[in-house]
Every structure is written in C-alpha cells, then in structure tokens.
C-alpha cells in the first residue's frame, strides 16, 4: 500500500508538471509565444541539462541527484531530476534561496513562487525561453524540471552526464541520502526562521 501511494504521488507530480507546462508557466510550446530557431529537441534537451548542472553546481554543500525522466510534446522537451538528499523542513528555505539567487543572477525571470510549508516551489523563465522549476513533493523530496520553448522535432537521447547519485532500478525512492547540513532539523545558525 505504501509503495502504491508513493507511485500515485509521483505520477501526480509528473502530471502537475505537464499541466504547468501546458498552462504556460514552464513554457507553452503550442502558444507560439516563443520558439528557438535552429534548435531541435536534442539541442533543447542538452540546454535543459546544462541549466540543471549549472544550478546544482551552485548548491553547497553538494546535494545528491538522479535523472528521472524526459518527455516530449508536439514541439517541446522536458527533463526531470530528483534530489536524493534529505532536505529538512528547516533547511528548505535555505535550499530554495540558493537556487533562486543563482537563477536571478543568471538573468532568469521569476514567474511563480509558492511559499507552501509542505510543498514550496519556484518557477522561472530563462532569457532564451526555457521554463525551469524547483519544487518539493512527497516526503520533502526536491525535484527539478526544465521545459523548452518550441523547437524543431528530433530524436532525444538520454543525458550523457552521469548523475552524482546512486543508480536505482525501477522506481526512485524517497530521499535517502543524509547531509550534515541539508538534513539538519534546525535552522541555519545566524538566520531567523520565517514566521
């Protein structure tokens, strides 16, 4: 029963991501608002990968992450990644703050911020039209998603860079990697917890 609940929640997270993409929050390829001339789906997938790698490269201490999925629409592509490091409720604000500061410094425009205590998220758009999301889901698991604007159709291969997390056969479990910093159940020293 517990495994079925996790499967249902993970499926809901993927569906929610697809709906957000369809609503234009992560880049609505069908709206015709933005297209990337000369880029195909494989190029868009590689650009999505580079956005994630740059983002997680700014997070210190390092987090462990794994590739989750790649999906394609009529003219867009989305990449998904799952964070395997346990990020405690007390450290989620710090985690999101690091990510948000990097995205702003990279010229990404904030579209939506959800301050939900259980499932906070941030959605931004890159200058070249990619929709990017970080969110927390079931058991406090963090997820990243990057969705391209409309690009030329092509075959899309799996990411070439190996994830820094362990390899899982089948279903990816809930966060299971402890970090002295990110998993600590106390606020970061010298910060004031949000009300």
């Amino acid at each position: 029963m517990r495994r079925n609940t996790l499967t249902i929640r993970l499926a809901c997270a993927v569906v929610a991501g697809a709906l957000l993409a369809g609503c234009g929050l992560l880049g609505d390829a069908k709206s015709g608002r933005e297209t990337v001339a000369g880029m195909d789906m494989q190029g868009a997938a590689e650009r999505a990968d580079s956005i994630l790698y740059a983002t997680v490269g700014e997070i210190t201490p390092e987090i462990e992450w794994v590739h989750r999925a790649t999906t394609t629409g009529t003219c867009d592509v989305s990449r998904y990644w799952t964070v395997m490091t346990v990020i405690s409720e007390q450290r989620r604000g710090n985690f999101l703050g690091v990510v948000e500061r990097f995205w702003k410094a990279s010229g990404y425009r904030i579209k939506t911020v959800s301050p939900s205590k259980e499932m906070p998220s941030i959605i931004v758009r890159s200058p070249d039209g990619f929709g990017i999301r970080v969110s927390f889901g079931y058991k406090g698991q963090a997820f990243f998603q990057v969705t391209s604007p409309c690009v030329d159709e092509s075959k899309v291969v799996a990411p070439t860079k190996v994830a820094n997390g362990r390899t899982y056969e089948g279903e990816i479990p809930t966060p299971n990697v402890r970090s002295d910093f990110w998993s600590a159940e106390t606020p970061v020293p010298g910060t004031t917890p949000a009300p």
Side-chain angles (χ1 to χ4, degrees):
M1 181 67 173
R2 186 178 208 185
R3 188 173 188 97
N4 287 342
T5 301
L6 179 60
T7 302
I8 290 168
R9 288 180 189 221
L10 184 58
C12 288
V14 170
V15 170
L19 291 174
L20 285 172
C23 293
L25 291 175
L26 291 181
D28 184 358
K30 295 176 186 175
S31 73
R33 285 184 300 175
E34 293 193 46
T35 60
V36 179
M39 181 180 281
D40 63 12
M41 289 181 168
Q42 179 59 38
E46 290 169 6
R47 170 73 175 123
D49 293 340
S50 71
I51 289 170
L52 173 83
Y53 305 147
T55 300
V56 297
E58 290 295 313
I59 300 171
T60 55
E62 182 181 60
I63 56 166
E64 193 169 296
W65 58 271
V66 295
H67 297 288
R68 190 169 103 220
T70 299
T71 61
T72 56
T74 55
C75 68
D76 63 342
V77 60
S78 295
R79 291 272 215 216
Y80 302 86
W81 302 269
T82 300
V83 176
M84 300 311 301
T85 301
V86 174
I87 301 171
S88 70
E89 186 177 314
Q90 294 82 355
R91 301 292 169 106
R92 286 181 199 157
N94 300 94
F95 179 85
L96 291 170
V98 168
V99 171
E100 183 178 7
R101 279 190 298 279
F102 173 69
W103 285 349
K104 285 181 175 177
S106 300
Y108 301 168
R109 186 169 44 97
I110 303 292
K111 301 274 292 178
T112 305
V113 175
S114 170
S116 164
K117 186 175 180 183
E118 290 79 28
M119 297 184 177
S121 65
I122 301 172
I123 299 171
V124 300
R125 182 179 295 276
S126 70
D128 55 352
F130 282 71
I132 309 145
R133 175 175 63 130
V134 60
S135 59
F136 281 85
Y138 180 65
K139 295 281 191 183
Q141 191 150 43
F143 300 93
F144 286 94
Q145 174 186 350
V146 180
T147 299
S148 77
C150 194
V151 294
D152 295 333
E153 187 175 1
S154 72
K155 181 179 176 182
V156 179
V157 300
T160 55
K161 182 173 181 175
V162 177
N164 73 349
R166 62 191 80 166
T167 302
Y168 298 95
E169 291 298 323
E171 200 173 303
I172 297 171
T174 54
N176 57 16
V177 178
R178 301 291 302 178
S179 161
D180 290 342
F181 181 81
W182 294 116
S183 307
E185 296 183 358
T186 57
V188 174
T191 62
T192 304

